[in-house]
Amino acid sequence: MFFAGLFSLFAATMLVAWFGTPRKAFMLFALAMVLTGALYLHHASSKLPLSF
């Protein structure tokens, strides 16, 4: 669900970059990159229940 939201945010960013102002597009892109980093850190820091 969160991946679909990020994909939609990046798609909206591309539409704003095409039709809107560069400032709004950059702000949306920065927000999308921060959320992508947060998603990465969320998954990179979770413990893997492995047993060998």
Side-chain angles (χ1 to χ4, degrees):
M1 178 77 180
F2 197 75
F3 289 106
L6 273 177
F7 180 80
S8 299
L9 181 59
F10 275 109
T13 302
M14 288 188 281
L15 286 173
V16 169
W18 188 264
F19 296 112
T21 63
R23 180 171 171 81
K24 286 182 185 177
F26 179 75
M27 295 305 282
L28 281 175
F29 179 70
L31 174 65
M33 291 305 292
V34 166
L35 290 176
T36 301
L39 180 67
Y40 168 74
L41 288 176
H42 169 72
H43 287 284
S45 62
S46 61
K47 302 275 189 223
L48 292 176
L50 299 176
S51 61
F52 295 101

